[in-house]
């Protein structure tokens, strides 16, 4: 099977390409390199002995999307491509709405034209908004999002629902991620955000590497066990394996619309992450307590039961491995 992976050189996309290639899928990557590096393709090849075809295309240009489908027999698409920095989305909402929605609409239009109706979509737990409970279940549906990034994910989910309602021959799997961290155990693939990181683990790694002076912990007065925010952190390789499982299901079923949480079901606080990172990597992190950030919730985590029951998927890698693999990648790429 030929799988088109949009955003396939990014953090989650690249790990998913490795898992797909290891399962004998043929992979074609479309990536505009706006938040990734072409050298990741070499690393994917080193890990798998296979080199996916790469299109360095901006999917906002529909003629570029069509060119990919003209030149290749695509059987299914895994769609990662999109801007993902929450803070930037608040400052530049037009950029986020234009990019994330336009690329998806172009992709869907061309998929429909070429009768490619199998899609796995990269969504996010941000679509739940603030449901007033800590454990998020798929049947809660979409809530009021707190930033344009999350709103684009929610809007795309709605678009996909409408597409399926109009034509039940589509097979669509929507995967709602929680907080991916970690890296490939080889140290070849990991998260390399541009500039100052928005997320906790890349921030920790840059402090540990001496690239940033101090870690800011936003709030220590939440109603949690140690006052810091609690999230469901998942190893990126577990997340990548979840995409393969979702693809296998839509292959087998042929049609349908599915939504799954991909998380561990366990909440870890910011201080849990800091303390575990220090312990497994035998180092100390300098940190300061900063004011809470607007819109941050005290605590949430996934109920991953549905993914276990319907996909046979369970996150296998624990927090210590997440922290160890993250630092191993950083050390190999400093």
């Amino acid at each position: 099977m030929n799988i088109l992976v949009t955003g396939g050189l990014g953090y989650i996309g690249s790990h998913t390409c490795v898992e797909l290639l290891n399962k004998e899928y043929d992979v074609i990557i479309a990536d505009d390199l706006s938040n990734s590096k072409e050298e990741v393709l070499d690393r994917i090849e080193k890990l798998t002995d296979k080199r996916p075809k790469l299109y360095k295309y901006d999917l906002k240009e529909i003629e570029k999307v069509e060119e990919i489908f003209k030149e290749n027999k695509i059987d299914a698409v895994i769609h990662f491509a999109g801007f993902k920095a929450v803070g930037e989305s608040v400052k530049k909402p037009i950029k986020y709405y234009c990019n994330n929605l336009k690329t998806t609409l172009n992709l869907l239009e061309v998929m429909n034209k070429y009768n490619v109706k199998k899609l796995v979509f990269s969504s996010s737990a941000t679509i739940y908004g603030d449901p007033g409970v800590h454990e998020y279940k798929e049947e809660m549906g979409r809530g009021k999002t707190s930033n344009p990034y999350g709103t684009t994910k929610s809007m795309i989910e709605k678009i996909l629902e409408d597409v399926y309602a109009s034509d039940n021959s589509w097979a669509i799997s929507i995967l709602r991620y929680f907080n991916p961290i970690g890296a490939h155990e080889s140290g070849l693939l990991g998260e390399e955000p541009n500039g100052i990181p928005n997320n906790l683990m890349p921030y920790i790694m840059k402090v540990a590497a001496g690239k940033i002076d101090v870690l800011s912990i936003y709030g220590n007065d939440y109603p949690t066990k140690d006052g810091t925010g609690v999230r469901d952190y998942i190893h990126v390789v577990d997340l990548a394996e979840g995409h393969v499982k979702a693809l296998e299901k839509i292959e087998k079923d042929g049609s349908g619309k599915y939504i799954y949480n991909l998380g561990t079901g366990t909440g870890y606080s910011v201080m849990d992450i800091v303390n575990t990172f220090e312990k497994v990597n035998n180092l100390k992190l300098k940190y300061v307590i900063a004011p809470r950030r607007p819109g941050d919730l005290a605590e949430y985590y996934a109920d991953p039961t549905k993914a276990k029951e319907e996909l046979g998927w369970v996150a296998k890698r624990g927090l210590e491995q997440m922290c160890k693999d993250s630092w191993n990648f950083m050390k190999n790429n400093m």
Side-chain angles (χ1 to χ4, degrees):
M1 278 186 78
N2 289 329
I3 312 301
L4 173 63
V5 182
T6 72
L9 297 184
Y11 176 44
I12 303 168
S14 60
H15 286 84
T16 301
C17 286
V18 167
E19 297 305 315
L20 289 167
L21 291 164
N22 287 339
K23 288 276 193 175
E24 304 302 324
Y25 288 97
D26 294 310
V27 172
I28 298 148
I29 295 173
D31 198 303
D32 69 358
L33 304 179
S34 61
N35 195 31
S36 59
K37 298 175 181 176
E38 193 168 353
E39 68 194 54
V40 172
L41 192 65
D42 299 327
R43 298 177 184 185
I44 291 171
E45 183 179 20
K46 189 170 182 179
L47 287 168
T48 64
D49 293 322
K50 299 167 189 171
R51 190 174 185 86
K53 186 187 292 188
L54 171 63
Y55 288 87
K56 292 181 278 187
Y57 286 176
D58 183 344
L59 301 184
K60 291 197 300 296
E61 300 174 44
I62 195 165
E63 64 275 9
K64 296 290 191 184
V65 182
E66 183 148 8
E67 191 176 313
I68 298 170
F69 283 77
K70 273 183 183 174
E71 294 181 2
N72 304 275
K73 183 190 178 299
I74 306 292
D75 296 298
V77 177
I78 302 181
H79 182 34
F80 293 105
F83 295 147
K84 63 176 187 176
V86 169
E88 184 187 47
S89 79
V90 174
K91 295 174 183 172
K92 300 177 179 178
I94 296 171
K95 174 182 176 180
Y96 273 69
Y97 288 117
C98 180
N99 183 77
N100 294 5
L101 297 177
K102 182 66 172 171
T103 54
T104 304
L105 290 168
N106 283 349
L107 183 65
L108 291 169
E109 187 172 336
V110 175
M111 287 177 70
N112 195 53
K113 179 176 178 178
Y114 285 82
N115 200 37
V116 179
K117 296 184 177 179
K118 292 181 170 65
L119 175 68
V120 178
F121 173 61
S122 159
S123 191
S124 167
T126 58
I127 64 91
Y128 288 109
D130 182 3
V133 296
H134 297 324
E135 187 177 51
Y136 291 2
K137 302 174 186 287
E138 291 89 348
E139 59 265 26
M140 289 175 178
R142 295 181 297 274
K144 183 179 179 182
T145 50
S146 59
N147 56 76
Y149 159 75
T151 305
T152 65
K153 292 295 187 184
S154 184
M155 292 171 77
I156 292 168
E157 283 200 14
K158 175 59 177 164
I159 290 167
L160 295 177
E161 285 181 7
D162 291 344
V163 167
Y164 180 72
S166 73
D167 179 358
N168 292 160
S169 67
W170 281 78
I172 298 171
S173 188
I174 294 169
L175 303 181
R176 294 173 177 168
Y177 310 162
F178 281 69
N179 292 65
I181 61 174
H184 195 273
E185 63 181 359
S186 65
L188 286 171
L189 294 178
E191 189 168 13
E192 298 182 86
N194 297 328
I196 296 175
N198 284 274
N199 299 324
L200 178 61
M201 185 57 77
Y203 206 142
I204 284 175
M205 288 197 295
K206 289 205 172 188
V207 172
K211 296 183 178 183
I212 296 177
D213 291 336
V214 63
L215 171 70
S216 294
I217 295 174
Y218 297 104
N220 67 345
D221 57 350
Y222 286 105
T224 60
K225 62 181 182 179
D226 58 26
T228 63
V230 170
R231 300 290 182 267
D232 187 333
Y233 294 90
I234 177 173
H235 197 292
V236 66
V237 177
D238 281 327
L239 191 60
E241 290 172 351
H243 289 76
V244 178
K245 291 285 191 182
L247 181 62
E248 289 171 350
K249 180 169 176 62
I250 61 176
E251 274 183 72
K252 179 170 70 75
D253 291 2
S255 63
K257 182 182 70 67
Y258 311 97
I259 298 174
Y260 300 105
N261 286 335
L262 294 186
T264 64
T266 301
Y268 298 105
S269 73
V270 174
M271 288 310 303
D272 285 335
I273 304 291
V274 169
N275 293 334
T276 304
F277 189 91
E278 289 182 333
K279 174 188 158 190
V280 300
N281 297 311
N282 193 30
L283 48 77
K284 295 296 289 182
L285 295 168
K286 184 178 179 184
Y287 64 84
V288 296
I289 304 300
R292 294 186 188 187
R293 293 181 298 192
D296 274 357
L297 303 179
E299 179 174 5
Y300 64 84
Y301 46 86
D303 177 353
T305 305
K306 188 179 176 188
K308 180 180 180 180
E309 291 176 349
E310 296 188 13
L311 300 179
W313 174 87
V314 177
K316 302 187 290 282
R317 296 159 180 86
L319 184 58
E320 290 196 358
Q321 187 170 352
M322 298 180 211
C323 292
K324 185 177 178 182
D325 289 344
S326 294
W327 182 234
N328 183 46
F329 171 75
M330 189 68 176
K331 286 189 297 182
N332 285 337
N333 294 278
M334 284 167 66

